[in-house]
Coordinates of all heavy atoms in Angstrom, one line a residue:
M1 N 110.5 90.5 103.5 CA 109.3 90.0 104.1 C 108.1 90.7 103.4 O 108.1 91.9 103.2 CB 109.3 90.4 105.6 CG 108.0 90.0 106.3 SD 108.2 90.2 108.1 CE 107.1 91.6 108.3
I2 N 107.1 89.9 103.1 CA 105.9 90.4 102.4 C 105.0 90.9 103.5 O 104.7 90.2 104.5 CB 105.3 89.3 101.6 CG1 106.2 88.9 100.4 CG2 103.9 89.8 101.0 CD1 105.7 87.8 99.6
R3 N 104.5 92.1 103.3 CA 103.6 92.7 104.3 C 102.2 92.2 104.1 O 101.7 92.0 103.0 CB 103.6 94.2 104.2 CG 104.8 94.9 104.6 CD 104.6 96.4 104.4 NE 105.7 97.1 105.0 CZ 106.9 97.4 104.4 NH1 107.1 96.9 103.2 NH2 107.8 98.0 105.0
K4 N 101.5 92.0 105.2 CA 100.0 91.7 105.2 C 99.3 93.1 105.0 O 99.9 94.1 105.2 CB 99.6 91.1 106.5 CG 100.3 89.8 106.9 CD 99.9 89.4 108.2 CE 101.1 88.6 108.8 NZ 101.2 88.7 110.2
T5 N 98.1 93.0 104.5 CA 97.4 94.3 104.3 C 96.2 94.3 105.3 O 95.5 93.3 105.6 CB 96.8 94.5 102.9 OG1 96.0 93.4 102.6 CG2 98.0 94.6 101.9
L6 N 95.9 95.5 105.8 CA 94.8 95.8 106.7 C 94.1 97.0 106.2 O 94.7 97.9 105.6 CB 95.2 96.0 108.1 CG 95.8 94.8 108.9 CD1 96.2 95.2 110.3 CD2 94.8 93.7 109.0
N7 N 92.8 97.1 106.4 CA 92.1 98.4 106.1 C 92.4 99.4 107.2 O 93.1 99.1 108.2 CB 90.6 98.2 105.9 CG 89.9 97.8 107.2 OD1 90.3 98.1 108.3 ND2 88.8 97.1 107.1
A8 N 92.1 100.7 107.0 CA 92.5 101.7 107.9 C 92.0 101.5 109.3 O 92.8 101.7 110.2 CB 91.9 103.1 107.3
S9 N 90.8 101.0 109.5 CA 90.3 100.8 110.9 C 91.0 99.7 111.6 O 91.4 99.9 112.7 CB 88.8 100.5 110.8 OG 88.0 101.5 110.3
R10 N 91.3 98.6 110.9 CA 92.0 97.5 111.5 C 93.5 97.9 111.8 O 94.1 97.5 112.9 CB 92.0 96.3 110.6 CG 90.7 95.7 110.4 CD 90.2 94.8 111.6 NE 91.2 93.9 112.0 CZ 91.3 92.6 111.7 NH1 90.4 92.1 110.9 NH2 92.2 91.9 112.2
L11 N 94.1 98.7 110.9 CA 95.5 99.1 111.1 C 95.5 100.1 112.3 O 96.4 100.0 113.2 CB 96.0 99.8 109.9 CG 97.5 100.1 109.7 CD1 98.3 98.8 110.0 CD2 97.8 100.6 108.3
Q12 N 94.6 101.0 112.4 CA 94.5 101.9 113.6 C 94.3 101.1 114.9 O 94.9 101.4 115.9 CB 93.3 102.9 113.4 CG 93.1 103.9 114.4 CD 91.9 104.8 114.2 OE1 91.0 104.4 113.5 NE2 92.0 106.0 114.7
Q13 N 93.5 100.1 114.9 CA 93.2 99.2 116.0 C 94.5 98.5 116.5 O 94.8 98.4 117.6 CB 92.1 98.3 115.8 CG 90.7 98.9 115.7 CD 89.7 97.9 115.2 OE1 90.0 96.7 114.9 NE2 88.5 98.3 115.1
E14 N 95.2 98.0 115.5 CA 96.5 97.2 115.8 C 97.5 98.2 116.4 O 98.2 97.8 117.4 CB 97.0 96.6 114.5 CG 98.3 95.8 114.7 CD 98.2 94.6 115.6 OE1 97.0 94.2 115.9 OE2 99.2 94.1 116.1
V15 N 97.7 99.4 115.9 CA 98.7 100.3 116.5 C 98.2 100.7 117.9 O 99.0 100.7 118.8 CB 98.8 101.6 115.6 CG1 99.6 102.6 116.3 CG2 99.5 101.2 114.3
D16 N 96.9 100.9 118.1 CA 96.3 101.3 119.4 C 96.6 100.2 120.4 O 97.0 100.4 121.5 CB 94.8 101.5 119.2 CG 94.2 102.0 120.5 OD1 93.8 101.2 121.3 OD2 94.2 103.2 120.8
R17 N 96.3 98.9 120.0 CA 96.5 97.8 120.8 C 98.0 97.7 121.3 O 98.2 97.4 122.5 CB 96.1 96.5 120.1 CG 96.1 95.2 120.9 CD 95.8 94.0 120.1 NE 96.8 93.7 119.1 CZ 97.9 93.1 119.3 NH1 98.2 92.7 120.6 NH2 98.8 92.8 118.4
R18 N 98.9 97.8 120.4 CA 100.3 97.7 120.7 C 100.8 98.8 121.6 O 101.6 98.6 122.5 CB 101.2 97.6 119.4 CG 100.9 96.3 118.7 CD 101.9 96.1 117.6 NE 101.6 95.0 116.7 CZ 102.4 94.5 115.8 NH1 103.6 95.0 115.7 NH2 102.0 93.5 115.1
I19 N 100.3 100.0 121.3 CA 100.8 101.1 122.2 C 100.2 100.9 123.6 O 101.0 101.1 124.5 CB 100.3 102.5 121.6 CG1 101.1 102.8 120.3 CG2 100.3 103.6 122.6 CD1 100.6 104.0 119.6
H20 N 99.0 100.6 123.7 CA 98.4 100.5 125.1 C 98.8 99.2 125.8 O 98.3 99.1 127.0 CB 96.9 100.7 125.0 CG 96.5 102.1 124.6 ND1 96.3 102.5 123.4 CD2 96.6 103.2 125.4 CE1 96.1 103.9 123.4 NE2 96.2 104.3 124.6
R21 N 99.6 98.4 125.3 CA 100.1 97.2 126.1 C 101.5 97.5 126.5 O 102.1 96.6 127.1 CB 99.9 95.9 125.3 CG 100.9 95.7 124.2 CD 100.7 94.4 123.5 NE 101.8 94.1 122.6 CZ 101.8 93.2 121.7 NH1 100.8 92.4 121.6 NH2 102.8 93.1 120.9
L22 N 102.1 98.6 126.1 CA 103.5 98.9 126.6 C 103.5 99.2 128.0 O 102.6 99.9 128.6 CB 104.0 100.2 125.8 CG 104.2 100.0 124.3 CD1 104.6 101.3 123.7 CD2 105.3 99.0 124.0
Q23 N 104.5 98.7 128.7 CA 104.5 98.8 130.2 C 104.5 100.3 130.6 O 103.8 100.6 131.6 CB 105.8 98.1 130.7 CG 105.8 98.0 132.2 CD 104.6 97.1 132.7 OE1 104.2 96.1 132.1 NE2 104.0 97.4 133.8
E24 N 105.2 101.2 129.9 CA 105.3 102.6 130.3 C 103.9 103.3 130.3 O 103.6 104.1 131.1 CB 106.3 103.4 129.4 CG 107.7 102.8 129.4 CD 107.9 101.7 128.5 OE1 107.0 101.3 127.7 OE2 109.0 101.1 128.5
I25 N 103.2 102.9 129.2 CA 101.8 103.4 129.0 C 100.9 102.9 130.1 O 100.1 103.6 130.7 CB 101.3 103.1 127.6 CG1 102.2 103.5 126.5 CG2 99.9 103.6 127.4 CD1 102.4 105.0 126.3
I26 N 101.0 101.6 130.4 CA 100.1 101.0 131.4 C 100.4 101.6 132.8 O 99.5 102.0 133.5 CB 100.4 99.5 131.5 CG1 99.9 98.8 130.2 CG2 99.7 98.9 132.7 CD1 100.3 97.4 130.0
E27 N 101.7 101.7 133.1 CA 102.1 102.3 134.4 C 101.6 103.7 134.6 O 101.2 104.1 135.7 CB 103.6 102.2 134.6 CG 104.1 100.8 134.8 CD 105.6 100.8 134.9 OE1 106.3 101.8 134.7 OE2 106.2 99.6 135.0
D28 N 101.7 104.5 133.6 CA 101.2 105.9 133.7 C 99.7 106.1 133.6 O 99.2 107.1 133.8 CB 101.9 106.8 132.7 CG 103.4 107.1 133.1 OD1 103.8 106.6 134.1 OD2 104.1 107.8 132.3
G29 N 99.0 105.0 133.1 CA 97.6 105.1 133.0 C 97.1 106.1 132.0 O 96.0 106.6 132.0
V30 N 98.0 106.3 131.0 CA 97.6 107.3 129.9 C 96.9 106.7 128.8 O 97.1 105.5 128.5 CB 98.9 108.1 129.5 CG1 99.7 107.2 128.6 CG2 98.5 109.3 128.8
K31 N 95.9 107.4 128.2 CA 95.2 107.0 127.0 C 95.6 107.8 125.8 O 95.4 109.0 125.8 CB 93.7 107.1 127.2 CG 92.9 106.7 126.0 CD 92.9 105.3 125.7 CE 92.0 105.0 124.6 NZ 92.3 103.8 123.8
I32 N 96.4 107.2 124.9 CA 96.9 107.9 123.7 C 95.9 107.8 122.6 O 95.4 106.7 122.3 CB 98.3 107.4 123.4 CG1 99.2 107.7 124.5 CG2 98.7 108.0 122.0 CD1 100.6 107.2 124.3
R33 N 95.6 108.9 122.0 CA 94.7 108.9 120.8 C 95.5 108.5 119.6 O 96.4 109.2 119.2 CB 94.0 110.2 120.6 CG 92.9 110.2 119.5 CD 92.4 111.6 119.2 NE 93.4 112.5 118.7 CZ 94.0 112.4 117.5 NH1 93.6 111.5 116.6 NH2 94.9 113.3 117.1
V34 N 95.1 107.5 118.9 CA 95.8 107.0 117.7 C 95.0 107.4 116.5 O 93.8 107.1 116.3 CB 95.9 105.4 117.8 CG1 96.5 104.9 116.5 CG2 96.7 105.0 119.0
P35 N 95.7 108.2 115.6 CA 95.0 108.7 114.4 C 94.8 107.5 113.4 O 95.4 106.5 113.5 CB 95.9 109.7 113.9 CG 97.3 109.2 114.3 CD 97.0 108.6 115.7
R36 N 94.0 107.8 112.4 CA 93.8 106.9 111.3 C 95.1 107.0 110.4 O 95.7 108.0 110.3 CB 92.6 107.2 110.5 CG 91.3 106.9 111.2 CD 90.0 107.1 110.5 NE 89.9 106.3 109.3 CZ 89.4 105.0 109.3 NH1 89.2 104.4 110.4 NH2 89.3 104.4 108.1
P37 N 95.5 105.9 109.8 CA 96.6 105.8 108.9 C 96.3 106.6 107.7 O 95.2 106.6 107.2 CB 96.9 104.4 108.7 CG 95.6 103.7 108.9 CD 94.9 104.5 110.0
Q38 N 97.3 107.3 107.1 CA 97.2 108.0 105.9 C 98.0 107.3 104.8 O 99.1 107.0 104.9 CB 97.7 109.4 106.1 CG 97.0 110.2 107.2 CD 97.8 111.4 107.6 OE1 99.0 111.6 107.3 NE2 97.1 112.3 108.3
L39 N 97.3 107.1 103.7 CA 97.9 106.5 102.5 C 99.0 107.4 101.9 O 98.8 108.6 101.9 CB 96.9 106.2 101.4 CG 97.3 105.3 100.3 CD1 97.7 103.9 100.7 CD2 96.2 105.2 99.3
Q40 N 100.1 106.8 101.5 CA 101.2 107.6 100.9 C 101.8 106.7 99.8 O 101.6 105.5 99.8 CB 102.2 108.0 101.9 CG 103.0 106.9 102.5 CD 104.1 107.3 103.5 OE1 104.1 108.4 103.9 NE2 105.0 106.4 103.8
E41 N 102.6 107.3 99.0 CA 103.4 106.5 98.1 C 104.4 105.6 98.9 O 104.9 106.0 99.9 CB 104.3 107.4 97.1 CG 103.4 108.1 96.1 CD 102.8 107.2 95.1 OE1 103.4 106.2 94.7 OE2 101.6 107.4 94.9
P42 N 104.6 104.3 98.5 CA 105.5 103.5 99.2 C 106.8 104.1 99.4 O 107.4 104.7 98.5 CB 105.6 102.2 98.4 CG 104.3 102.2 97.6 CD 104.0 103.7 97.3
D43 N 107.3 104.0 100.6 CA 108.7 104.6 100.9 C 109.8 103.6 100.5 O 109.5 102.6 99.9 CB 108.8 105.0 102.4 CG 108.6 103.8 103.4 OD1 108.7 102.6 103.0 OD2 108.4 104.1 104.6
K44 N 111.0 103.9 100.9 CA 112.1 103.0 100.5 C 112.0 101.6 101.1 O 112.5 100.6 100.5 CB 113.5 103.6 100.9 CG 113.6 103.8 102.4 CD 114.9 104.5 102.7 CE 115.0 104.6 104.2 NZ 116.0 105.5 104.6
T45 N 111.2 101.4 102.2 CA 111.0 100.0 102.7 C 109.8 99.3 102.1 O 109.6 98.2 102.3 CB 110.8 100.1 104.2 OG1 109.5 100.7 104.5 CG2 111.9 100.9 104.9
G46 N 109.0 100.1 101.4 CA 107.8 99.6 100.7 C 106.5 99.8 101.5 O 105.5 99.4 101.1
C47 N 106.6 100.5 102.6 CA 105.4 100.8 103.4 C 104.6 101.9 102.7 O 105.2 103.0 102.4 CB 105.8 101.2 104.8 SG 104.4 101.5 105.9
N48 N 103.3 101.8 102.7 CA 102.5 102.8 102.0 C 101.6 103.6 102.9 O 100.6 104.1 102.4 CB 101.6 102.0 100.9 CG 100.5 101.2 101.5 OD1 100.5 100.9 102.7 ND2 99.6 100.8 100.7
W49 N 101.9 103.7 104.1 CA 101.1 104.5 105.0 C 102.0 105.2 106.1 O 103.1 104.8 106.4 CB 100.0 103.7 105.7 CG 100.5 102.6 106.5 CD1 100.9 101.3 106.1 CD2 100.8 102.6 107.9 NE1 101.3 100.6 107.2 CE2 101.2 101.3 108.3 CE3 100.6 103.5 108.9 CZ2 101.6 101.0 109.6 CZ3 100.9 103.2 110.3 CH2 101.4 101.9 110.6
K50 N 101.3 106.2 106.8 CA 102.0 106.9 107.9 C 100.9 107.3 108.8 O 99.7 107.3 108.5 CB 102.8 108.1 107.4 CG 101.9 109.2 106.8 CD 102.7 110.4 106.3 CE 101.8 111.4 105.7 NZ 102.5 112.6 105.3
M51 N 101.3 107.6 110.1 CA 100.4 108.1 111.1 C 101.1 109.3 111.7 O 102.3 109.3 112.1 CB 100.2 107.1 112.2 CG 99.1 106.1 111.9 SD 98.8 105.1 113.4 CE 97.5 104.1 112.7
T52 N 100.4 110.4 111.9 CA 100.9 111.6 112.5 C 99.8 112.1 113.5 O 98.6 111.8 113.4 CB 101.3 112.7 111.5 OG1 100.1 113.0 110.7 CG2 102.4 112.2 110.6
N53 N 100.2 113.0 114.3 CA 99.3 113.7 115.3 C 98.6 112.8 116.3 O 97.4 112.8 116.4 CB 98.3 114.6 114.5 CG 99.0 115.5 113.6 OD1 100.0 116.2 113.9 ND2 98.4 115.7 112.4
F54 N 99.4 112.1 117.0 CA 98.9 111.3 118.1 C 98.5 112.2 119.2 O 99.2 113.2 119.5 CB 100.0 110.3 118.6 CG 100.2 109.1 117.7 CD1 101.0 109.2 116.6 CD2 99.7 107.9 118.0 CE1 101.2 108.2 115.7 CE2 99.9 106.8 117.2 CZ 100.7 107.0 116.0
G55 N 97.4 111.9 119.8 CA 96.9 112.8 120.9 C 97.4 112.3 122.3 O 97.5 111.0 122.5
N56 N 97.6 113.2 123.2 CA 98.0 112.9 124.6 C 99.3 112.0 124.6 O 99.4 111.2 125.4 CB 96.9 112.1 125.3 CG 97.0 112.3 126.8 OD1 97.5 113.2 127.3 ND2 96.5 111.3 127.5
A57 N 100.2 112.4 123.7 CA 101.4 111.5 123.5 C 102.7 112.1 124.0 O 103.8 111.5 123.8 CB 101.6 111.2 122.0
I58 N 102.7 113.3 124.6 CA 103.9 114.0 125.1 C 104.6 113.1 126.1 O 104.0 112.6 127.0 CB 103.6 115.4 125.7 CG1 103.0 116.3 124.5 CG2 104.8 116.0 126.3 CD1 102.5 117.6 125.0
G59 N 105.9 112.9 125.8 CA 106.7 112.0 126.7 C 106.8 110.6 126.2 O 107.5 109.8 126.7
F60 N 105.9 110.2 125.3 CA 105.9 108.8 124.8 C 106.2 108.7 123.3 O 105.9 107.7 122.7 CB 104.4 108.2 125.0 CG 104.0 108.2 126.5 CD1 103.2 109.2 127.0 CD2 104.5 107.3 127.3 CE1 102.8 109.2 128.3 CE2 104.2 107.3 128.7 CZ 103.4 108.2 129.2
E61 N 106.8 109.7 122.8 CA 107.1 109.7 121.3 C 108.0 108.6 120.9 O 107.8 108.0 119.9 CB 107.8 111.1 120.9 CG 106.9 112.3 121.0 CD 106.9 113.0 122.4 OE1 107.5 112.4 123.4 OE2 106.3 114.0 122.5
R62 N 109.0 108.3 121.7 CA 109.9 107.2 121.4 C 109.2 105.8 121.4 O 109.4 105.0 120.5 CB 111.1 107.1 122.3 CG 112.2 108.1 122.0 CD 113.4 107.9 122.9 NE 114.4 108.9 122.7 CZ 115.2 109.3 123.6 NH1 115.3 108.6 124.7 NH2 116.1 110.3 123.4
D63 N 108.4 105.6 122.4 CA 107.6 104.4 122.5 C 106.7 104.2 121.3 O 106.6 103.2 120.7 CB 106.7 104.4 123.8 CG 107.6 104.5 125.0 OD1 108.6 103.7 125.1 OD2 107.3 105.3 125.9
I64 N 106.0 105.3 120.9 CA 105.1 105.3 119.8 C 105.9 105.0 118.5 O 105.5 104.2 117.7 CB 104.3 106.6 119.7 CG1 103.3 106.7 120.8 CG2 103.6 106.7 118.3 CD1 102.7 108.1 121.0
E65 N 107.0 105.6 118.3 CA 107.9 105.4 117.2 C 108.3 104.0 117.0 O 108.3 103.4 115.9 CB 109.1 106.4 117.2 CG 109.9 106.3 115.9 CD 109.1 106.7 114.6 OE1 108.2 107.5 114.7 OE2 109.5 106.1 113.6
R66 N 108.7 103.4 118.1 CA 109.1 101.9 118.1 C 107.9 101.1 117.6 O 108.1 100.1 116.8 CB 109.5 101.5 119.5 CG 110.9 101.9 119.8 CD 111.5 101.1 121.0 NE 110.6 100.8 122.1 CZ 110.4 101.5 123.2 NH1 111.2 102.6 123.3 NH2 109.6 101.2 124.1
V67 N 106.7 101.3 118.1 CA 105.5 100.6 117.7 C 105.3 100.8 116.2 O 105.0 99.9 115.4 CB 104.3 101.0 118.5 CG1 103.0 100.4 117.9 CG2 104.4 100.5 119.9
L68 N 105.3 102.1 115.8 CA 105.1 102.4 114.3 C 106.1 101.6 113.4 O 105.8 101.1 112.4 CB 105.2 103.9 114.1 CG 103.9 104.6 114.5 CD1 104.1 106.1 114.2 CD2 102.7 104.1 113.8
V69 N 107.4 101.7 113.8 CA 108.4 101.0 113.0 C 108.1 99.5 112.9 O 108.1 98.9 111.8 CB 109.8 101.2 113.6 CG1 110.8 100.2 113.0 CG2 110.3 102.6 113.4
A70 N 107.6 98.9 113.9 CA 107.3 97.4 113.9 C 106.1 97.2 113.1 O 106.1 96.3 112.2 CB 107.1 96.9 115.3
V71 N 105.0 98.0 113.2 CA 103.8 97.7 112.5 C 104.0 98.1 111.1 O 103.4 97.4 110.2 CB 102.6 98.5 113.1 CG1 101.3 98.4 112.3 CG2 102.4 98.1 114.6
R72 N 104.7 99.1 110.7 CA 104.9 99.5 109.3 C 105.8 98.4 108.6 O 105.6 98.2 107.4 CB 105.7 100.9 109.2 CG 104.7 102.0 109.5 CD 105.5 103.3 109.6 NE 106.4 103.6 108.5 CZ 106.0 104.3 107.4 NH1 104.9 104.7 107.3 NH2 106.9 104.4 106.5
A73 N 106.6 97.7 109.4 CA 107.3 96.6 108.7 C 106.5 95.4 108.5 O 106.8 94.6 107.6 CB 108.5 96.2 109.6
E74 N 105.4 95.2 109.2 CA 104.5 94.1 109.1 C 103.3 94.3 108.2 O 102.8 93.3 107.6 CB 103.9 93.7 110.4 CG 104.9 93.1 111.4 CD 104.4 92.8 112.7 OE1 103.3 92.2 112.7 OE2 105.0 93.2 113.7
Y75 N 102.8 95.5 108.1 CA 101.5 95.7 107.4 C 101.5 96.9 106.4 O 102.3 97.9 106.6 CB 100.4 96.1 108.4 CG 100.1 95.0 109.4 CD1 100.6 95.0 110.7 CD2 99.3 93.9 109.0 CE1 100.3 94.0 111.6 CE2 99.0 92.9 109.9 CZ 99.5 92.9 111.2 OH 99.3 91.9 112.1
N76 N 100.8 96.8 105.3 CA 100.5 97.9 104.4 C 99.0 98.2 104.5 O 98.2 97.3 104.9 CB 100.9 97.5 103.0 CG 102.2 98.0 102.6 OD1 102.8 99.0 103.2 ND2 102.8 97.5 101.5
L77 N 98.7 99.4 104.2 CA 97.3 99.8 104.2 C 96.6 99.3 102.9 O 97.1 99.5 101.8 CB 97.3 101.4 104.2 CG 95.9 102.0 104.3 CD1 95.1 101.6 105.4 CD2 96.1 103.5 104.3
S78 N 95.5 98.7 103.1 CA 94.7 98.2 101.9 C 94.3 99.3 101.0 O 93.8 100.3 101.5 CB 93.5 97.4 102.4 OG 92.7 97.0 101.3
T79 N 94.5 99.2 99.7 CA 94.0 100.2 98.8 C 92.8 99.8 98.0 O 92.4 100.5 97.2 CB 95.2 100.6 97.8 OG1 95.6 99.4 97.2 CG2 96.4 101.2 98.6
E80 N 92.3 98.6 98.3 CA 91.1 98.2 97.7 C 89.9 99.0 98.1 O 89.7 99.4 99.2 CB 90.8 96.7 98.0 CG 91.8 95.8 97.5 CD 91.5 94.3 97.9 OE1 90.3 94.0 98.3 OE2 92.4 93.5 97.8
V81 N 89.1 99.4 97.1 CA 87.9 100.1 97.3 C 86.7 99.2 97.1 O 86.6 98.6 96.1 CB 87.7 101.3 96.4 CG1 86.5 102.1 96.6 CG2 88.9 102.3 96.6
K82 N 85.9 99.0 98.1 CA 84.8 98.1 98.0 C 83.6 98.8 97.3 O 83.3 100.0 97.6 CB 84.3 97.6 99.4 CG 85.3 96.8 100.1 CD 84.8 96.3 101.4 CE 85.8 95.4 102.1 NZ 85.3 94.9 103.4
D83 N 83.1 98.1 96.4 CA 81.9 98.6 95.7 C 80.6 98.3 96.5 O 80.3 97.2 96.6 CB 81.8 98.0 94.3 CG 80.6 98.5 93.5 OD1 80.0 99.6 93.9 OD2 80.3 97.9 92.5
T84 N 80.1 99.4 97.1 CA 78.9 99.2 97.9 C 77.6 99.2 97.1 O 76.6 98.9 97.6 CB 78.8 100.3 99.0 OG1 78.8 101.6 98.3 CG2 80.0 100.3 99.9
G85 N 77.8 99.4 95.8 CA 76.7 99.4 94.9 C 75.8 100.6 95.1 O 76.0 101.4 95.9
N86 N 74.8 100.7 94.3 CA 73.9 101.8 94.3 C 72.7 101.4 95.3 O 72.0 100.5 95.0 CB 73.3 102.1 92.9 CG 72.4 103.3 92.9 OD1 71.9 103.7 94.0 ND2 72.2 103.8 91.7
P87 N 72.6 102.1 96.4 CA 71.6 101.8 97.4 C 70.1 102.0 96.8 O 69.2 101.4 97.4 CB 71.8 102.7 98.6 CG 72.6 103.8 98.0 CD 73.4 103.3 96.8
F88 N 70.0 102.7 95.7 CA 68.7 103.0 95.2 C 68.4 102.1 94.0 O 67.3 102.1 93.5 CB 68.6 104.5 94.7 CG 68.9 105.4 95.8 CD1 70.1 106.1 95.9 CD2 68.0 105.6 96.8 CE1 70.4 107.0 96.9 CE2 68.3 106.5 97.9 CZ 69.5 107.1 97.9
G89 N 69.3 101.2 93.6 CA 69.1 100.2 92.6 C 68.8 100.8 91.2 O 68.1 100.1 90.4
D90 N 69.2 102.0 90.9 CA 68.9 102.5 89.5 C 70.2 102.5 88.7 O 71.2 102.2 89.0 CB 68.2 103.8 89.6 CG 68.9 104.9 90.4 OD1 69.9 104.5 91.1 OD2 68.5 106.0 90.3

């Protein structure tokens, strides 16, 4: 399967959305802090990012890991750097 690419903010939002729609998370009313993805060399599956240090996640590690496995199988982190140009025009 070919992965879609997302920038760091969109990837972070997607992981956050999936975590916070899990029944266990909803029932406990917990808000888990989702870190920004970190670029890495592609692993054996071809995924080029990882996430570590989730906040307020004690007791939900397995749930988070399931979400990460699914999202890492679907998406890669975009490595394109946008040229914002010189704001001073020189």
Side-chain angles (χ1 to χ4, degrees):
M1 180 172 106
I2 296 176
R3 287 179 173 87
K4 301 172 210 151
T5 58
L6 292 176
N7 66 30
S9 294
R10 294 283 311 262
L11 196 51
Q12 183 181 26
Q13 290 170 357
E14 179 63 16
V15 171
D16 185 270
R17 183 184 69 79
R18 291 188 190 196
I19 286 173
H20 288 99
R21 74 176 190 196
L22 294 174
Q23 193 61 39
E24 301 84 6
I25 306 289
I26 293 169
E27 287 174 2
D28 285 358
V30 73
K31 176 68 175 153
I32 294 175
R33 187 189 58 77
V34 177
R36 289 183 63 82
Q38 300 165 345
L39 189 62
Q40 67 177 15
E41 287 297 316
D43 62 16
K44 63 183 177 193
T45 69
C47 184
N48 72 346
W49 62 275
K50 64 180 178 178
M51 278 187 177
T52 57
N53 301 323
F54 285 79
N56 203 30
I58 294 173
F60 298 101
E61 293 88 351
R62 282 190 187 154
D63 300 311
I64 292 169
E65 186 59 30
R66 281 197 321 266
V67 168
L68 283 178
V69 166
V71 177
R72 286 172 49 92
E74 292 178 47
Y75 297 100
N76 262 342
L77 181 58
S78 174
T79 57
E80 293 180 17
V81 177
K82 292 184 180 176
D83 181 13
T84 57
N86 184 342
F88 302 106
D90 52 351

